[in-house]
Amino acid sequence: QVQLVESGGGLVQAGGSLSVSCAASGRTFSNYAMGWFRQAPGKEREFVGAISWGGTSTMYADSVKGRFTISRDNAKNTVYLQMNSLKPEDTAVYYCAASPNYPLKLHRLYSAWGQGTQVTVSS
């Protein structure tokens, strides 16, 4: 099983940018497609986007399309989520997840999860 650790969350003003990272260990990282999800208080976990094994394909939720970018560096076993033009409604705990399959929007289909990192966008 691959182990995942997110980092880079924090507090940012609306309209600002923030990048979060997810470092993987334990298994061959390039064998996994990676997803990003978020969960706000009192809400269900929401798909943000995903990236294929080699990074050549990405997909995004409509709510973040054009503002968020997912990338990965398989040499560093790391996937990134660059968030621009942030809005207060982007406030949530952000999770990375790994799956042998791509593309997947359903969180229950991902086999490994990080612990999450808090992103707070102030108005």
Side-chain angles (χ1 to χ4, degrees):
Q1 187 73 301
V2 64
Q3 288 83 46
L4 305 172
V5 178
E6 298 97 338
S7 62
L11 174 65
V12 64
Q13 288 189 332
S17 298
L18 198 64
S19 180
V20 295
S21 302
C22 172
S25 62
R27 290 292 179 99
T28 304
F29 181 59
S30 58
N31 288 346
Y32 293 89
M34 299 297 295
W36 283 97
F37 291 79
R38 65 187 182 185
Q39 189 165 18
K43 295 189 176 182
E44 294 190 356
R45 194 163 295 191
E46 174 189 23
F47 173 77
V48 172
I51 188 166
S52 62
W53 309 269
T56 57
S57 176
T58 54
M59 61 184 302
Y60 299 93
D62 288 344
S63 58
V64 307
K65 200 172 294 182
R67 300 188 297 122
F68 290 12
T69 302
I70 298 172
S71 60
R72 67 188 295 164
D73 185 339
N74 285 348
K76 295 183 178 180
N77 292 347
T78 302
V79 62
Y80 306 94
L81 176 65
Q82 175 66 41
M83 301 178 285
N84 298 328
S85 301
L86 282 161
K87 306 174 181 179
E89 52 263 43
D90 294 318
T91 296
V93 176
Y94 283 71
Y95 299 89
C96 63
S99 170
N101 303 307
Y102 176 86
L104 296 177
K105 292 185 176 181
L106 297 178
H107 62 82
R108 60 181 172 84
L109 297 178
Y110 284 78
S111 55
W113 290 84
Q115 83 287 355
T117 186
Q118 177 70 46
V119 172
T120 303
V121 184
S122 63
S123 57

